[in-house]
């Protein structure tokens, strides 16, 4: 993962969604289709209990794998944003409402979190995940046939992003999403090769990761 992409997350997130949808549509059974859906929310900016200005609605997009005949959502895939992990915000509330509806409809829910920071433990309900398996990034899978169970997949900053198995119906084999390939496509299509790696990462890396990134960038002649 390139942590410098996080400052451009809305653009990167959209590129990941498009790339993931295309990848899924090549792999899904003939009677399933991948579609992009969206939710909107308004984040009120208040001062002394009064709204300062008329806020613009924020749109967030995600992927739904649906049955082609009736539109039932078999699996939803979210690329979590940093805003979603801000507790007690409109983004947090809107995200949880969407997930609650999907779970109630017996849909699988896959959450891919490639941004650091925020209350990811609270948002993704990972309170039982031991600290020694925590990483900078992560993915979770909620299976429709295993109510209440959350599968947790830690994702390291320093290693290649893994293949993630996307569940469908019980009669279907999982389909694979190559997260690294999706990220590489987003990097290339967004022309992020022009990133100035001489500046500090935003949000900042911890001391060990910052030293590792510095050595890597210097070795590549980018710093």
């Amino acid at each position: 993962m390139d942590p410098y992409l996080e400052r451009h997350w809305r653009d990167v997130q959209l590129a990941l969604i498009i790339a993931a949808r295309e990848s899924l549509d090549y792999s899904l059974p003939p009677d399933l289709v991948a579609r992009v859906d969206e939710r909107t929310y308004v984040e009120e900016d208040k001062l002394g209990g009064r709204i300062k200005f008329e806020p613009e609605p924020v749109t967030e997009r995600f992927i739904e794998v649906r049955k082609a005949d009736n539109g039932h959502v078999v699996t939803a895939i979210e690329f979590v944003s940093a805003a979603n992990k801000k507790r007690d915000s409109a983004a947090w509330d809107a995200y949880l409402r969407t997930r609650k509806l999907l779970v109630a409809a017996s849909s699988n829910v896959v959450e891919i979190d490639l941004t650091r920071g925020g209350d990811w433990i609270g948002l993704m309900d990972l309170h039982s995940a031991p600290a020694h398996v925590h990483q900078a990034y992560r993915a979770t899978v909620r299976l429709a046939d295993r109510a209440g169970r959350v599968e947790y997949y830690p994702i390291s900053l320093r290693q290649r992003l893994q293949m993630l198995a996307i569940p469908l119906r019980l009669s279907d084999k999982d389909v694979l999403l190559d997260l690294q390939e999706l990220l590489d496509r987003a990097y290339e299509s967004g022309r992020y090769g022009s990133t100035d790696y001489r500046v500090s990462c935003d949000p900042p890396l911890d001391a060990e990761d910052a030293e590792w990134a510095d050595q890597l960038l210097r070795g590549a002649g980018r710093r």
Side-chain angles (χ1 to χ4, degrees):
M1 178 60 188
D2 182 347
Y4 279 79
L5 295 179
E6 294 182 50
R7 69 177 68 188
H8 308 289
W9 182 248
R10 292 189 68 178
D11 181 64
V12 173
Q13 181 190 47
L14 180 59
L16 287 170
I17 288 170
I18 293 171
R21 186 201 64 189
E22 292 176 349
S23 177
L24 287 167
D25 273 333
Y26 283 116
S27 306
L28 291 173
D31 61 336
L32 297 181
V33 294
R35 296 287 186 263
V36 177
D37 204 345
E38 63 184 34
R39 62 175 166 268
T40 59
Y41 63 88
V42 175
E43 192 72 72
E44 295 181 349
D45 188 356
K46 295 184 178 181
L47 180 62
R50 298 173 61 187
I51 299 176
K52 294 168 58 180
F53 57 87
E54 189 68 28
E56 292 290 331
V58 178
T59 300
E60 293 184 329
R61 294 173 176 84
F62 53 96
I63 300 170
E64 291 181 339
V65 176
R66 304 174 184 168
K67 294 183 65 175
D69 57 356
N70 61 16
H72 172 72
V73 179
V74 174
T75 302
I77 303 170
E78 292 266 9
F79 287 92
V80 181
S81 69
N84 297 139
K85 294 183 286 182
K86 184 179 179 182
R87 182 177 284 276
D88 298 326
S89 66
W92 171 288
D93 293 340
Y95 182 93
L96 291 183
R97 281 196 300 271
T98 298
R99 190 173 71 195
K100 183 178 181 180
L101 290 172
L102 289 165
V103 171
S106 298
S107 303
N108 304 305
V109 180
V110 177
E111 301 163 294
I112 303 166
D113 182 11
L114 299 178
T115 66
R116 292 166 292 129
D119 186 7
W120 57 270
I121 292 177
L123 183 75
M124 303 172 84
D125 194 18
L126 293 174
H127 300 281
S128 61
H132 72 272
V133 299
H134 292 183
Q135 291 286 350
Y137 310 106
R138 69 238 15 118
T140 66
V141 177
R142 301 168 192 272
L143 296 171
D145 62 326
R146 299 181 185 178
R149 176 174 171 178
V150 181
E151 297 181 352
Y152 166 65
Y153 300 92
I155 300 175
S156 172
L157 167 68
R158 306 188 191 189
Q159 297 176 345
R160 188 187 192 280
L161 302 186
Q162 63 258 52
M163 303 283 287
L164 186 62
I166 306 299
L168 302 173
R169 298 163 296 194
L170 288 176
S171 58
D172 299 318
K173 293 183 179 180
D174 293 348
V175 294
L176 296 178
L177 273 184
D178 187 334
L179 298 183
Q180 189 64 58
E181 180 186 11
L182 298 181
L183 188 70
D184 291 346
R185 288 168 64 181
Y187 189 93
E188 293 171 6
S189 64
R191 302 177 69 179
Y192 287 110
S194 60
T195 297
D196 183 0
Y197 291 102
R198 296 169 297 178
V199 301
S200 298
C201 190
D202 180 24
L205 296 166
D206 62 33
E208 290 186 2
D209 284 337
E211 182 179 356
W212 168 81
D214 182 63
Q215 293 176 359
L216 187 69
L217 291 169
R218 291 183 185 279
R222 300 300 301 269
R223 180 176 284 181

